[in-house]
């Protein structure tokens, strides 16, 4: 979902190279909400229209979401 992608951009992904962009740090600026929405739109542009219409990939996304949030505090 868009919310999952927004959270990933803002909070990062523990155990991966995906750092959090919702908080400034390491010399990087924070992203504002419009920046995050623009990134989500860009990511969504890779999705095929047929797959988007059928909801394809939702199970995979849910599985990734479950496995990655279990190791968060």
């Amino acid at each position: 979902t868009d919310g999952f992608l927004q959270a990933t951009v803002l909070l990062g992904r523990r155990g991966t190279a995906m750092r959090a962009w919702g908080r400034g740090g390491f010399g990087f600026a924070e992203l504002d909400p419009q920046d995050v929405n623009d990134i989500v739109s860009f990511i969504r542009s890779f999705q095929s229209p047929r797959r988007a219409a059928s909801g394809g990939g939702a199970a995979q996304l849910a599985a990734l979401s479950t496995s990655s949030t279990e190791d968060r505090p």
Side-chain angles (χ1 to χ4, degrees), residues 24-48:
F26 305 104
F28 296 105
E30 284 184 26
L31 296 176
D32 63 38
Q34 185 58 52
D35 292 332
V36 174
N37 289 333
D38 289 345
I39 291 168
V40 170
S41 293
F42 178 71
I43 293 169
R44 290 280 184 203
S45 74
F46 295 122
Q47 192 173 21
S48 71

Side-chain angles (χ1 to χ4, degrees), residues 6-26:
Q6 290 165 337
T8 299
V9 171
L10 291 171
L11 302 174
R13 304 289 290 171
R14 182 179 289 182
T16 72
M18 179 63 192
R19 65 173 294 280
W21 290 93
R23 301 179 287 264
F26 305 104

Side-chain angles (χ1 to χ4, degrees), residues 44-68:
R44 290 280 184 203
S45 74
F46 295 122
Q47 192 173 21
S48 71
R50 182 176 60 119
R51 186 173 177 186
S54 69
Q60 286 179 315
L61 190 58
L64 289 172
S65 173
T66 302
S67 66
S68 63

